[in-house]
Amino acid sequence: MQDFREAYQSTAVEVQENEIQENEVELASPWQRIGAVLINSLITMVLYVPLFVGTAMMGDSNGERGLMWIVISAVLLLAWGIYQAVLMSKTGQSLGKKLLGIKVVTLEGDNPGFVGTVLMREIVYNIILTVLGMIPFLGVLISIGAAIALLVMIFLDGNNRRTLQDMLAKTLVVKA
């Protein structure tokens, strides 16, 4: 019979600064991380609905109303992006992470702030993927490969479930 303390310890990470043990944190489960991404993605998709409605209306006599829907969508998406950036900068949590009780921290256990959570984990990572995605024929494979790599990496305890984004920003995702 397996000792449940061993299972718990496999998800605990000792956070050290200058080789001195400061405190211990528990890694977020892969399912919490997947759930947070799904929540954020679902909200984003809902905010795109007015854009699709407006685009569909642009082709007929309702062009002005279509433009209104496009502007509404743009404002909603901009507000959502700013809200997420502020929330992640202040707490290390997107709305999805907040709802599921997880957050992003530096390897030292601190809040990574704007640079760690927004700039490095989101903007720089997505710019790299976009540039690589433009390579003819290979771009789609690179994008799909990166998504699969992220999914596999969050299940690997050996590297503290760190994904490519975590490695780029030198962060961990832990239980809040």
Side-chain angles (χ1 to χ4, degrees), residues 96-155:
K97 282 181 177 67
K98 190 173 192 72
L99 292 173
L100 293 178
I102 61 177
K103 66 180 178 178
V104 177
V105 296
T106 64
L107 296 177
E108 292 79 31
D110 299 321
N111 179 358
F114 178 81
V115 172
T117 56
V118 178
L119 186 62
M120 296 305 290
R121 284 180 54 93
E122 302 300 329
I123 295 172
V124 170
Y125 175 78
N126 285 304
I127 288 172
I128 292 169
L129 268 188
T130 300
V131 169
L132 292 175
M134 288 192 251
I135 299 171
F137 305 110
L138 290 177
V140 172
L141 292 176
I142 291 170
S143 296
I144 292 170
I148 292 170
L150 293 177
L151 191 58
V152 168
M153 292 174 89
I154 64 171
F155 285 94

Side-chain angles (χ1 to χ4, degrees), residues 3 5 12 16 21 31 41 45 49 58 62-63 72 77 83 87 98 105 107 110 117 150 156 158 169 174:
D3 184 3
R5 286 174 284 185
Q16 297 180 358
Q21 183 174 336
W31 303 110
S41 297
M45 287 186 330
V49 169
M58 291 298 286
N62 293 321
I72 288 170
L77 287 165
Y83 173 73
L87 193 59
K98 190 173 192 72
V105 296
L107 296 177
D110 299 321
T117 56
L150 293 177
L156 300 175
V174 300

